[in-house]
Each structure stands twice: as structure tokens, then as C-alpha cells.
Amino acid sequence: DPTVFDTRFLRKIDDLGEGHFGKVELCLYDPRGDGRGELVAVKSLKPNSKGQLACHLRKEIDTMRELYHHNIVKYKGVCSEEGGRTTKLIMEYLPAGSLKDYLPKRKHQTDLKRLLHYALQICQGMDYLGSQRFIHRDLAARNVLVENESTVKIGDFGLTKSMKEDKSYYTVKEETDSPVFWYAPECLMDCKFYPASDVWSFGVTLYELMTYCETSSSPTTVFSEMLQPTKGLMTLTRLVEVLIAGRRLPCPPRCPDTVRELREVVRCWGIKVNVYGVHSLL
Ligand SMILES: Nc1n[nH]c2ccc(-c3ccc(NS(=O)(=O)c4cccc(Cl)c4)cc3)cc12
């Protein structure tokens, strides 16, 4: 079975990213032992992670197994260790890394047309995800990978949830280390995630694209300055207050009005009320 990887032949080369409970590593899978094996990206839990997190990773694996799209990172298989008690997710390796790694270094070679081409591909990947009745819940530039200067792929599904047949949203039970500055108001206020919540996060990701993912202009930097000096839970309360007051991330320099309108007025951060929970900001 080509989707089963033997841990004996998996050798770590580098770190690719780290979440609260997991990590993504670049590994060489070299069953012939001649150093000419295949480079893969391996997602695993950090040591001493609690049992329920192993269940989360297995659910992420089950999700990725079902996804086939040009703008979604390819699932390659799994690698089990410790007698099957721990499982690692094996994905295709994209050497250019995430938009967060790539854009700041390529600012002068990336024009508006290409930024919007990336935005379109993120939409195409997310549209496919929605068509499979999944809500991503963590769309952000750090989770969008660059295959080459013309192609990007959604690269992490750690918070992705499937909507039950009879439901149009997902209720969060417990959440740690939440990417609150990418969250729509209904997520912050009611812990409910709708497909439209991903649209809000796409608006924040579009803002990251238009600022070339520069840390000085990042949503975290800008919102933290906006909310000073709150900390912890107060940040969440204060963030909801400023969003209800109508404040938003600023329009990046040289951002065309059409893109600003897409983000702020028409689709992503619009102040709308409807039964489907599209940003139920009053
Ligand atoms: N360069 C790559 N090729 N294939 C990949 C698959 C995933 C990733 C990846 C995807 C997402 C991240 N974002 S991240 O914020 O580091 C992250 C978030 C949640 C959980 C974890 Cl373990 C890591 C970091 C790396 C990179 C590559």
C-alpha cells in the first residue's frame, strides 16, 4: 500500500512549522537507503500530547484522505509508530513553503495581478472544501503553501470540521490557541463556525496577501495595537467590541478599491444579519 510509510525509512531534514500541539517537519523517505528517496512533509503531535489530540490528528488524516483538488496540498499517506499508538500524516512537500515565508522575500517580483491570482486559487480550494461540506476554521497565509510562482495550495486542515448532514454550522467545544484575529464575530461571540466564517477569514487572508505577509502589518500586530493594553480573555471581549463598532483592518497601501470593497463591504467583513449566521453583527 503506497500510502503506508515505514517509520524506519523516515529521516528528519528540517522543521517546516509548529502549532500549539503539533509540528510539521521536512523528511526524506528513503526505503532504499541510497539517499535518493522522496522529500515529504510530515505532520505529527508534539511529545507528551494528550490522547484526545491523537484523535484530532486521526480525524485530520481522515479529512485529507477525502480531498482531491489542484489548490489543496496532496495527502500521501500515514506512518504509524509505537505499535499504532501514534500516527503521522504524510503530505507532498512544497519547497517554497507558506505564503508567510514566501511573499515577504518576493515582494518586488510579485505584482497585484499575481496576488489576485493567489487569492483566486485560495477561493477555488475553499469552494471545493465547502462543496464537500467542510468548514476550514483556520484559513490564514501561514496555512497556504506555494507550489511555484503560479500555484498556491491550502496546506493545513488541523481545525477543519465536517458539517453534519442536518447542520449548517459547527459548534466549538473547547479551543486553545485560537487564531482570533482571523475569526468572524459569530465565532468569537457564539463559538459557532459557518461556511461564511471561512469567508471572513479569507478577507483577513486577502489583507495578508495585499500586505505581502509582512509582520509589521500582520493582523496580530495591527489588532494588538488597536486593542491595547488588553491581555487574555479581555482581548476577545475587546476585539468583539471594536468589530461591533465597525472597526476593521486598514486598507493596505496600493490596494485597489475593488479589492477593499470585496473585503469590507460586499462579501467578507460585511455587517449582515441572516439566519445562516453571516457575521451576525447588529
Ligand atoms: N512546505 C510544505 N510542504 N508541504 C507542507 C505541508 C504542510 C506545511 C505546513 C502547513 C501549515 C503550517 N502552519 S503552522 O502554523 O506552522 C501549523 C498550524 C497547525 C498545526 C501545525 Cl503542526 C502547524 C506549517 C507548515 C508545509 C508544507
Side-chain angles (χ1 to χ4, degrees):
D1 178 349
T3 68
V4 176
F5 288 70
D6 186 326
T7 187
R8 291 175 297 161
F9 306 132
L10 210 51
R11 184 155 53 84
K12 177 182 175 179
I13 307 288
D14 200 356
D15 292 316
L16 293 175
E18 190 165 331
H20 207 65
F21 300 106
K23 59 186 180 215
V24 182
E25 296 172 323
L26 168 60
C27 292
L28 177 71
Y29 188 66
D30 193 22
R32 287 194 300 270
D34 59 7
R36 297 165 59 196
E38 179 185 19
L39 289 174
V40 292
V42 180
K43 184 172 184 179
S44 57
L45 293 177
K46 288 179 181 173
N48 311 320
S49 299
K50 286 182 283 186
Q52 73 185 73
L53 290 164
C55 174
H56 287 181
L57 183 56
R58 274 195 293 275
K59 282 186 180 169
E60 180 179 351
I61 291 167
D62 292 344
T63 298
M64 287 207 70
R65 271 199 184 106
E66 295 179 44
L67 302 177
Y68 302 93
H69 189 273
H70 177 64
N71 298 117
I72 286 182
V73 71
K74 285 189 182 68
Y75 165 82
K76 292 186 73 72
V78 292
C79 173
S80 293
E81 295 187 324
E82 299 171 16
R85 281 193 301 279
T86 61
T87 303
K88 297 182 176 184
L89 166 58
I90 314 291
M91 298 170 279
E92 66 172 323
Y93 171 56
L94 278 59
S98 74
L99 281 173
K100 198 96 176 90
D101 310 314
Y102 179 82
L103 272 186
K105 293 182 282 193
R106 304 268 307 193
K107 180 170 182 173
H108 302 297
Q109 299 97 310
T110 309
D111 61 8
L112 175 66
K113 184 179 175 186
R114 190 169 301 282
L115 290 177
L116 294 178
H117 186 57
Y118 294 156
L120 173 63
Q121 292 181 64
I122 295 168
C123 288
Q124 288 167 336
M126 290 300 292
D127 182 54
Y128 167 77
L129 199 64
S131 73
Q132 304 304 305
R133 291 189 59 75
F134 285 108
I135 302 174
H136 189 280
R137 298 183 52 236
D138 195 12
L139 180 59
R142 66 180 178 278
N143 290 334
V144 177
L145 305 177
V146 181
E147 174 156 70
N148 55 50
E149 61 178 15
S150 306
T151 307
V152 295
K153 301 188 174 191
I154 299 165
D156 189 78
F157 297 86
L159 295 183
T160 300
K161 299 296 180 188
S162 173
M163 285 184 287
K164 302 278 183 289
E165 291 65 38
D166 60 343
K167 279 202 166 178
S168 63
Y169 62 86
Y170 175 82
T171 304
V172 183
K173 282 103 187 161
E174 85 297 322
E175 191 81 314
T176 51
D177 193 37
S178 303
V180 291
F181 298 130
W182 280 257
Y183 276 3
E186 65 273 11
C187 313
L188 299 169
M189 293 190 285
D190 311 329
C191 294
K192 283 185 177 166
F193 286 77
Y194 297 80
S197 310
D198 279 338
V199 175
W200 181 288
S201 300
F202 169 73
V204 182
T205 306
L206 187 57
Y207 166 89
E208 292 185 278
L209 274 170
M210 301 309 290
T211 57
Y212 292 93
C213 295
E214 288 180 325
T215 303
S216 60
S217 318
S218 79
T220 303
T221 303
V222 173
F223 271 124
S224 297
E225 286 164 6
M226 204 187 290
L227 304 183
Q228 285 194 31
T230 56
K231 291 269 185 291
L233 205 57
M234 278 303 290
T235 301
L236 204 61
T237 308
R238 187 84 186 93
L239 178 58
V240 171
E241 285 172 359
V242 299
L243 291 176
I244 285 181
R247 296 189 66 185
R248 295 291 183 273
L249 290 166
C251 187
R254 296 183 302 287
C255 176
D257 277 346
T258 46
V259 178
R260 182 186 54 74
E261 284 165 22
L262 174 76
R263 232 185 8 250
E264 294 170 5
V265 181
V266 177
R267 300 298 300 158
C268 302
W269 303 337
I271 297 181
K272 293 183 182 173
V273 179
N274 75 31
V275 293
Y276 301 106
V278 175
H279 320 319
S280 46
L281 267 179
L282 301 176

